[in-house]
Amino acid sequence: MDFDYTAEENAFREEVRRFIDDNLPPKKERDKNFLATWLEKVRAKGWVGFSWPKEFGGSAGGLIEQTILREEMALAKAPPLGTSMMGLAWVGPGIMEYGTEEQKRKFIPDILDSKVTWCTGYSEPNHGSDLAAIQCKAELHGDNYIVNGQKIWTTGAPWSQWIILLTRTQFDVASKHDGITCLLVPMDAPGVEVRPIENMAGDKHFAEIFFTDVEVPVEHRLGAEGDGWKVTVSALANERSSIGEVTQMFAKLENLKELVKSTKKQGKPAHEDPGVRRKVAQFEMKIAAMKYNGLRYLTKQIKGEPLSSETSVNKLHRASLEIEMDDFAVELTGQAGLQLRGGEDAVDGGTWSKSALNWPNVVIGGGTPNIQRNIIAERLLGMPKD
Ligand SMILES: Cc1cc2nc3c(=O)[nH]c(=O)nc-3n(C[C@H](O)[C@H](O)[C@H](O)COP(=O)(O)OP(=O)(O)OC[C@H]3O[C@@H](n4cnc5c(N)ncnc54)[C@H](O)[C@@H]3O)c2cc1C
């Protein structure tokens, strides 16, 4: 494996760093217009949808440059490059691959310009890990599908304008992967009811959604009827390089190091404590292991080989590592560390305690640890299913 960057890649990294220096003021100095201005500027640079084909408004950027862009943005703790994370990660790529010309014209520019936010309606009360068993029903009547059913844990549902929705259009199927159809539905359509769910950190990021006789025009179907599983698998595969995640972990480690420097343990600076130092070094080694694993996936992608189950390794690793780091930070800072945002003595604005309470985000969201273990055992290690 060659770890060196080419002169062009290094120049690109410099360009990103310069841009950040020129356009990312410290948090305290950002006014209420900052985010809108930032989004406009990164869009003008062609860094939103960086790897998307030019015909769709992207920059057709290479994988290494994309990695550099994500690394530098994460290390600078920059705001996101767009407001619709899911729009950029899988809805947009799904529409580019399976959408009609009209759908591409209608939806893609608004995702790139951060005008519309998307959420993802896959999980149902009884079908999360076993996603292909979904029951939310869509029946074709004339030119409209009539949707009835329920989704749950839908991140961003309280503020999103559109949802990518997995429905079942056929129930008597040989395989549960058949008969699934993907629909694009406006969240303000009559019959869509969003009930936010408060998580244990006090946030209302996700919701249950009830669909009662919701009319969805046929032209809002993504892909052919019954092809919903194929559309979903292929769209999700677009965002399977986990390098970006690793950089977020390095940024988190930097925050932890700052915390260790500014905290006292038994009257002495915590960073002088051998136990604390050992723990931080262990975190760093584990993140480095994630990084090299991530580079292996990147190498595969550069060679044009599709990624499949490998990313489960880092997903599983990250889940336990984030919990360990949050718990360590909260424990280190004692009672004040338990205070959430707004607390009188809250440490780092309550970030660590909030993150510790938000562990389901990284552990359950996107697939549980057991499911990752099954994938690793069956698909990577070739172990038998039973
Ligand atoms: C923060 C957060 C955000 C989310 N955002 C979204 C979203 O935006 N859109 C969306 O559609 N969904 C979302 N989800 C839902 C998430 O995808 C599901 O919760 C997840 O896939 C697990 O499904 P489940 O809750 O039905 O649990 P289940 O599938 O019922 O699992 C329960 C337990 O059984 C275990 N288990 C299940 N099957 C197996 C098996 N075959 N082998 C071994 N163990 C097994 C699981 O590991 C788990 O421990 C989100 C969840 C969270 C926590």
Side-chain angles (χ1 to χ4, degrees):
M1 194 185 269
D2 180 6
F3 291 110
D4 291 330
Y5 292 96
T6 63
E8 290 77 23
E9 287 158 0
N10 281 327
F12 181 69
R13 190 183 291 279
E14 281 312 310
E15 184 187 342
V16 178
R17 284 185 181 165
R18 257 197 322 276
F19 177 87
I20 290 172
D21 282 348
D22 293 345
N23 294 291
L24 187 65
K27 256 194 180 151
K28 279 178 271 170
E29 291 169 27
R30 296 177 199 168
D31 61 18
K32 63 177 179 13
N33 300 322
F34 164 73
L35 186 62
T37 314
W38 167 263
L39 291 170
E40 260 175 42
K41 285 182 178 169
V42 287
R43 175 82 178 103
K45 279 299 258 181
W47 290 348
V48 190
F50 181 74
S51 62
W52 292 13
K54 289 196 170 152
E55 56 176 308
F56 295 121
S59 288
L63 275 167
I64 301 266
E65 282 81 2
Q66 186 182 37
T67 305
I68 291 171
L69 180 61
R70 287 184 182 174
E71 269 178 4
E72 292 302 323
M73 290 292 170
L75 288 173
K77 298 182 192 118
L81 298 177
T83 52
S84 185
M85 187 279 277
M86 297 179 194
L88 288 166
W90 51 81
V91 180
I95 293 173
M96 285 188 286
E97 189 169 353
Y98 290 100
T100 60
E101 286 312 310
E102 200 194 326
Q103 286 171 347
K104 289 172 192 166
R105 262 198 313 275
K106 181 177 168 71
F107 296 118
I108 299 285
D110 284 352
I111 293 175
L112 289 171
D113 293 335
S114 290
K115 284 190 179 153
V116 161
T117 301
W118 285 81
C119 58
T120 304
Y122 292 169
S123 305
E124 296 180 1
N126 292 317
H127 307 287
S129 302
D130 190 11
L131 183 59
I134 54 144
Q135 297 293 305
C136 181
K137 183 163 79 174
E139 283 175 301
L140 191 57
H141 289 272
D143 292 338
N144 288 312
Y145 285 99
I146 308 295
V147 179
N148 281 285
Q150 186 192 343
K151 296 287 167 180
I152 194 167
W153 313 124
T154 319
T155 302
W159 57 81
S160 294
Q161 290 88 29
W162 283 81
I163 183 168
I164 182 164
L165 187 69
L166 274 192
T167 62
R168 184 160 288 287
T169 38
Q170 208 189 336
F171 283 80
D172 55 336
V173 281
S175 155
K176 63 186 174 187
H177 300 99
D178 299 334
I180 294 175
T181 299
C182 188
L183 301 176
L184 308 174
V185 185
M187 293 294 280
D188 61 359
V192 176
E193 188 196 344
V194 178
R195 294 188 199 161
I197 304 173
E198 186 168 344
N199 70 11
M200 60 187 154
D203 296 323
K204 289 183 180 167
H205 287 160
F206 47 35
E208 346 176 52
I209 312 180
F210 296 84
F211 297 85
T212 310
D213 293 330
V214 177
E215 286 186 18
V216 183
V218 173
E219 58 264 28
H220 284 175
R221 184 184 68 213
L222 183 59
E225 183 170 308
D227 268 357
W229 190 252
K230 189 170 88 182
V231 172
T232 306
V233 169
S234 138
L236 286 176
N238 280 289
E239 193 55 19
R240 282 280 175 85
S241 160
S242 61
I243 294 278
E245 283 187 5
V246 176
T247 318
Q248 285 166 15
M249 293 301 288
F250 274 119
K252 186 169 182 141
L253 183 72
E254 286 309 307
N255 290 343
L256 190 64
K257 286 180 179 172
E258 289 301 318
L259 181 73
V260 164
K261 280 188 208 152
S262 61
T263 306
K264 288 218 155 93
K265 195 176 176 199
Q266 288 163 342
K268 288 186 184 162
H271 69 271
E272 290 177 9
D273 181 289
V276 169
R277 295 172 76 87
R278 196 176 312 119
K279 202 78 194 154
V280 173
Q282 280 169 354
F283 291 144
E284 187 148 8
M285 284 187 292
K286 287 183 178 180
I287 298 171
M290 273 180 84
K291 175 180 171 177
Y292 293 113
N293 231 356
L295 287 174
R296 284 213 302 236
Y297 317 149
L298 188 65
T299 307
K300 239 184 128 177
Q301 284 181 302
I302 289 168
K303 286 183 184 161
E305 297 169 24
L307 281 184
S308 58
S309 319
E310 298 92 334
T311 49
S312 288
V313 177
N314 269 2
K315 163 92 172 75
L316 183 63
H317 191 61
R318 179 181 181 177
S320 54
L321 190 54
E322 281 230 37
I323 291 183
E324 273 182 60
M325 290 172 76
D326 290 333
D327 286 354
F328 172 76
V330 170
E331 208 179 301
L332 185 73
T333 45
Q335 284 193 345
L338 293 173
Q339 293 194 18
L340 289 172
R341 193 178 300 146
E344 219 175 280
D345 302 316
V347 176
D348 287 351
T351 310
W352 296 102
S353 46
K354 194 160 228 341
S355 186
L357 287 175
N358 266 324
W359 63 264
N361 290 4
V362 281
V363 176
I364 303 176
T368 69
N370 281 348
I371 296 304
Q372 309 309 322
R373 287 190 191 97
N374 283 351
I375 292 172
I376 293 166
E378 289 163 16
R379 299 193 211 154
L380 292 183
L381 303 176
M383 291 167 76
K385 274 197 169 207
D386 300 314

